[in-house]
């Protein structure tokens, strides 16, 4: 069956709460058979007989804008601050019913069962990190961009992979430093 074309609207929340802008991206989707039209979990059998479970999740992807430049300026302070901020984010993610999936380099990837929990957590993270950044000069501030998408994920041990994760990462790149960008299906 040929791929179906689906348009998703992305609403990006600027750090200035009075600004809301929209970007449209096109995504190719291939329908996957499932046991129920309304099921949020699909089981697919791969060619080698390996069973994969897909689950619908809210995915939060975050990274530091200008991380490489910060590292080239002062590696020790950047790594120390990044470690502190990741701990803060981890605590907020856990306290908002989420799970930190991965935290490599300057990236944090988390999953939530609820879009409301993911967005609420993102807002709390940005508010808290803004407060933490107030003690640094402008050129030393670590400002995270956060993207949130709802989509299918494949659990591979403790990791998650799949289109839903890839879209969350792309959406995060659209966010301004200190901002949050959410997909249309997250907004809905």
């Amino acid at each position: 069956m040929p791929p179906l074309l689906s348009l998703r609207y992305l609403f990006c929340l600027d750090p200035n709460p009075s600004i809301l802008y929209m970007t449209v991206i096109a995504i190719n989707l291939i329908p996957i058979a499932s046991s129920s039209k309304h099921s949020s979990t699909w089981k697919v059998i791969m060619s080698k007989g390996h069973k994969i479970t897909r689950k619908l999740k809210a995915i939060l992807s975050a990274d530091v804008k200008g991380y490489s430049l910060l590292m080239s300026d002062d590696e020790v302070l950047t790594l120390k601050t990044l470690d502190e901020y990741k701990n803060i984010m981890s605590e907020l993610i856990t306290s908002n019913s989420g799970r930190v999936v991965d935290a490599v380099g300057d990236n944090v990837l988390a999953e939530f069962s609820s879009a409301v929990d993911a967005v609420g957590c993102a807002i709390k993270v940005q508010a808290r990190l803004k407060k933490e950044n107030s003690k640094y000069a402008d050129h030393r501030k670590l400002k995270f961009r956060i993207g949130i998408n709802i989509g299918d994920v494949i659990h591979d041990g403790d990791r998650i992979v799949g289109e839903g994760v890839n879209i969350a990462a792309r959406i995060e790149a659209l966010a301004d430093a200190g901002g949050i960008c959410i997909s249309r299906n997250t907004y809905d």
Side-chain angles (χ1 to χ4, degrees), residues 52-180:
I52 293 180
T53 302
R54 296 179 184 265
K55 292 186 179 183
L56 189 63
K57 294 286 185 174
I59 304 118
L60 180 151
S61 179
D63 84 348
V64 176
K65 174 82 173 178
Y67 178 70
S68 297
L69 184 60
L70 290 163
M71 284 294 285
S72 67
D73 187 41
D74 187 340
E75 287 180 339
V76 174
L77 180 59
T78 301
L79 289 173
K80 178 182 174 286
T81 306
L82 180 63
D83 190 46
E84 290 171 13
Y85 286 14
K86 281 183 171 182
N87 287 333
I88 290 168
M89 292 174 76
S90 180
E91 290 170 12
L92 288 168
I93 289 166
T94 303
S95 69
N96 283 275
S97 304
R99 177 179 81 91
V100 175
V101 176
D102 206 353
V104 177
D106 67 326
N107 184 267
V108 175
L109 180 66
E111 69 176 353
F112 296 81
S113 295
S114 159
V116 173
D117 290 340
V119 172
C121 178
I123 291 168
K124 290 175 186 173
V125 163
Q126 293 296 33
R128 176 73 185 277
L129 295 184
K130 183 177 181 179
K131 182 180 174 184
E132 294 294 324
N133 269 328
S134 67
K135 58 188 168 189
Y136 295 108
D138 285 343
H139 72 285
R140 291 301 322 147
K141 293 180 180 184
L142 271 66
K143 294 182 180 178
F144 277 83
R145 301 176 297 186
I146 297 177
I148 301 172
N149 180 48
I150 293 182
D152 283 331
V153 299
I154 299 169
H155 283 267
D156 180 16
D158 287 339
R159 298 180 329 125
I160 57 173
V161 295
E163 182 185 46
V165 176
N166 295 340
I167 293 170
R170 287 186 178 93
I171 292 168
E172 164 239 295
L174 296 173
D176 290 329
I180 303 164

Side-chain angles (χ1 to χ4, degrees), residues 17-32:
S18 65
I19 298 173
L20 177 68
Y21 59 94
M22 182 175 67
T23 305
V24 179
I25 61 172
I27 300 166
N28 287 321
L29 300 174
I30 300 172
I32 298 173

